Amino acid sequence: MRYTPAGIPVSEGRLAHQSVLVENGIERDVALEIPVLALGDMARWLDSAPLGGNLKVNGFLAAKGRNAKMPVIHANTIEYLEGNENGTILQEEG
Amino acid sequence: MRYTPAGIPVSEGRLAHQSVLVENGIERDVALEIPVLALGDMARWLDSAPLGGNLKVNGFLAAKGRNAKMPVIHANTIEYLEGNENGTILQEEG
């Protein structure tokens, strides 16, 4: 976990998602690995999540930066899950 | 628009999104530009959307490929909008 100059906690990591979804009427495997970022209390929750644990994250996507188009999930809520139907934390930073 | 070997229409483009959302209790500008892909009937809808027009897209995110982690929106539904609260098409391919 790091802190902004204003003292706000920031935690970053990567979420992995795997599922089977329907596209054009046909089931397909879906895989996604995407950076996740959380501020404030959510940063503490993300920071406390066990590596390889299962999370349900709600938030929004925003570009990583002006010159980096990779979308990042900004977590507004984080739930720890026991199953593995949602994101798995691959790596935590900060 | 292109076709898979099985004859399924595929349309690809890029969506741009801009909005103001709340993160950690504070409003912030959100910008995102992300590839979009549609199959079948949705490919025809995406292909018919005017460049610079406004769309509401529902679907899911999946990695572009095994070695390309950039998320792509797979459109399951596409609505043409008159306002500009949702995605704008920047480029269409296929």
Side-chain angles (χ1 to χ4, degrees):
Chain A
M1 200 153 69
R2 60 184 171 87
Y3 292 83
T4 68
I8 297 168
V10 182
S11 180
E12 293 179 78
R14 296 188 69 80
L15 283 178
H17 169 92
Q18 281 197 310
S19 62
V20 176
L21 293 177
V22 173
E23 180 174 35
N24 196 36
I26 295 169
E27 285 195 343
R28 55 159 285 167
D29 292 330
V30 174
L32 183 70
E33 197 184 311
I34 193 165
V36 60
L37 181 152
L39 297 181
D41 288 343
M42 284 305 116
R44 297 182 211 280
W45 279 100
L46 184 59
D47 208 52
S48 305
L51 281 178
N54 297 296
L55 296 182
K56 180 173 181 178
V57 173
N58 277 293
F60 58 88
L61 292 172
K64 196 156 195 158
R66 288 194 183 185
N67 299 310
K69 288 185 180 169
M70 172 63 80
V72 175
I73 296 182
H74 291 250
N76 280 335
T77 67
I78 296 173
E79 273 177 70
Y80 296 174
L81 298 177
E82 298 200 1
N84 59 359
E85 289 163 31
N86 287 274
T88 299
I89 305 173
L90 292 182
Q91 183 192 345
E92 284 172 286
E93 297 160 18
Chain B
M1 199 152 70
R2 60 184 171 86
Y3 291 83
T4 68
I8 297 168
V10 182
S11 181
E12 293 178 78
R14 297 187 68 80
L15 282 179
H17 169 92
Q18 282 195 312
S19 62
V20 176
L21 293 177
V22 173
E23 180 174 35
N24 195 36
I26 294 170
E27 286 196 342
R28 55 159 285 167
D29 292 330
V30 173
L32 182 71
E33 196 183 311
I34 192 165
V36 59
L37 182 152
L39 297 181
D41 288 343
M42 283 307 115
R44 297 183 212 282
W45 280 99
L46 184 59
D47 209 52
S48 303
L51 281 179
N54 297 296
L55 297 181
K56 180 174 180 176
V57 173
N58 277 292
F60 58 89
L61 292 172
K64 196 155 194 160
R66 288 191 185 187
N67 298 310
K69 289 184 180 170
M70 172 62 82
V72 175
I73 296 181
H74 291 250
N76 280 336
T77 67
I78 296 174
E79 273 178 70
Y80 296 175
L81 298 178
E82 299 201 359
N84 58 359
E85 288 162 31
N86 287 273
T88 299
I89 305 173
L90 291 182
Q91 182 191 346
E92 284 172 287
E93 298 160 16

